[in-house]
Amino acid sequence: MEKVKIQLKKTGHAFYKILIGHNFSKNIAKFLRKEFPESVCVIIADETVKKLYGENLRKELKKNGQKVFLFSIPEGERSKNQKYKTMIEEKMLKLRIGRQSVIVAIGGGVVGDLAGFIAATYMRGIPCIQVPTTLLAMVDSSIGGKTGIDTEQGKNLIGAFWQPRAVFVDLKYIQSLSQRQFINGLVEAVKVFLTSDANSFLYVEKHISIILKRNQEALKKVITSAVSIKARVVERDERESGERMILNFGHTVGHALENLSQYKIPHGYAVALGIIIEAGIAVDTGKLKISDYSRIKNLLINKMGIELKTLGAYKPKEILDHAKNDKKSKNGKSRYVILKEIGKVYVCKNMFAHHVKDSAVIRVLNKINLANKK
Ligand SMILES: NC(=O)c1ccc[n+]([C@@H]2O[C@H](COP(=O)([O-])OP(=O)(O)OC[C@H]3O[C@@H](n4cnc5c(N)ncnc54)[C@H](O)[C@@H]3O)[C@@H](O)[C@H]2O)c1
């Protein structure tokens, strides 16, 4: 089992562990019994994960003597909203679940973000533990305490920072993911490596064929590296006032595409297209070498099967306008994380995201569309 620790300076619950290994149900039960012995346990899952793993976890916790409820939401991004937040809160209130309770979020990023946000606001805040079941949630969304919901105006526009008390990354969950969901998560690991760790990016390039076949050792290495990098970035900048913004590489355009497609493009796929466009912007602004850009495109497009044709459905101006709704925007202008080289981002005057002229974004989008049509 691998252990990664997060030590935060600013919040009350200043320390938690991320455990990476296999078959954690008993460990979760033991952890809850030790840390929250008298608490009511509320498991939140989506319908699919409830059937696959949630029911079993409920049984395990019940066997452990804990009072447990299991609530589910329909699967998919469309459930990450105020309606389902309220639905679960009302169920909890009707059952008179009080402050002595703990939420266990088992699922992908949708459940993790929604359940984490419920924990952040229920009775002014109750503990939450994250049990990620998608690769995306394992390497990214379950760690670092960003929780929230989507609105008509855009993604994650309402939310809170609410750190989990523990994260259990159980690699056995990866086996039941579709290849699409698997790649969706791998993109977020690649993103972390592109901004912070050239060696891990190289490792993925070299081992992509066994990674795609879900070789356990290779996956454990990729997940542990991505989790460790994210943990260190979060420690240095918990509230995303500076360095943590680098984890949004690919997300200014990625979120715009998700929103434009009404969430039909899965998050990781939208981020992959965002990475290609934002790396293109870095080349256009003279910061990134073409050879690095080619490596990025080769991995994402040729090896991982990201299709640029998805972009053709949207006009460059539409993408640009949606990108301005991003949380990183300042004075109505979108900002971008700019790669300097593989493993490093461009930082200027302690700024990690930068204004880019609209004309440059449009130029890059047109160029990519044109190249794609050839
Ligand atoms: N909080 C953060 O820091 C952060 C970071 C990145 C992404 N996110 C958010 O994460 C969300 C995307 O997460 P996601 O891609 O995990 O989507 P998701 O939660 O919708 O899960 C994708 C699908 O996989 C299914 N699934 C989950 N685990 C499974 C398993 N083990 N086997 C089979 N099927 C399984 C789910 O039922 C769902 O249909 C977005 O809302 C995004 O904004 C948050």
Side-chain angles (χ1 to χ4, degrees), residues 1 4 6 47 70 75 106 139 165 180 183 191 259 262-263 275 280 287-288 305 307 318 335-336:
M1 188 196 338
V4 179
I6 294 202
E47 295 293 347
L70 169 55
E75 65 176 71
I106 180 167
V139 296
R165 296 297 188 90
R180 199 164 161 77
I183 293 202
K191 170 210 75 182
N259 196 244
Q262 300 187 328
Y263 303 108
I275 288 174
K287 299 285 183 303
L288 184 71
E307 293 184 328
E318 277 181 316
R335 294 192 300 160
Y336 297 82

Side-chain angles (χ1 to χ4, degrees), residues 194 201-202 205 279-280 282-284 286-299 302 339-343:
L194 278 173
F201 183 82
L202 185 65
E205 274 180 316
V283 173
D284 188 86
K287 299 285 183 303
L288 184 71
K289 283 191 297 195
I290 293 269
S291 54
D292 278 355
Y293 186 42
S294 301
R295 280 174 68 191
I296 297 170
K297 285 196 297 184
N298 184 44
L299 181 67
N302 301 337
L339 269 199
K340 198 164 79 173
E341 60 187 75
I342 288 178

Side-chain angles (χ1 to χ4, degrees), residues 31-184:
F31 174 84
L32 289 171
R33 191 171 56 219
K34 183 164 169 268
E35 299 291 326
F36 309 103
E38 305 292 323
S39 293
V40 175
C41 181
V42 177
I43 302 175
I44 302 178
D46 71 18
E47 295 293 347
T48 305
V49 174
K50 176 185 167 185
K51 284 184 213 124
L52 283 172
Y53 308 112
E55 286 291 2
N56 282 343
L57 183 61
R58 189 181 66 80
K59 280 182 200 146
E60 191 66 47
L61 300 190
K62 207 169 165 207
K63 228 168 40 187
N64 195 43
Q66 208 119 17
K67 192 164 184 190
V68 195
F69 295 97
L70 169 55
F71 300 132
S72 60
I73 55 167
E75 65 176 71
E77 189 71 33
R78 290 190 161 274
S79 299
K80 201 176 106 175
N81 59 25
Q82 192 63 55
K83 176 179 156 195
Y84 287 102
K85 180 172 186 276
T86 306
M87 182 196 88
I88 290 178
E89 287 162 347
E90 284 182 352
K91 282 186 182 177
M92 289 170 70
L93 290 168
K94 279 184 189 146
L95 286 161
R96 297 185 187 283
I97 293 172
R99 297 189 78 173
Q100 213 171 15
S101 52
V102 50
I103 286 184
V104 178
I106 180 167
V110 165
V111 161
D113 282 8
L114 179 79
F117 190 31
I118 293 172
T121 58
Y122 192 77
M123 305 268 158
R124 297 208 177 92
I126 58 173
C128 174
I129 73 163
Q130 293 278 351
V131 185
T133 62
T134 61
L135 183 56
L136 181 140
M138 292 177 188
V139 296
D140 197 357
S141 61
S142 66
I143 304 147
K146 275 210 233 170
T147 71
I149 52 174
D150 304 332
T151 69
E152 288 277 303
Q153 287 70 27
K155 269 189 67 87
N156 304 327
L157 293 181
I158 300 198
F161 284 95
W162 193 247
Q163 298 293 341
R165 296 297 188 90
V167 183
F168 292 89
V169 178
D170 194 331
L171 299 171
K172 85 167 176 226
Y173 297 141
I174 291 178
Q175 296 313 324
S176 55
L177 291 174
S178 68
Q179 197 61 359
R180 199 164 161 77
Q181 286 158 350
F182 180 78
I183 293 202
N184 194 44

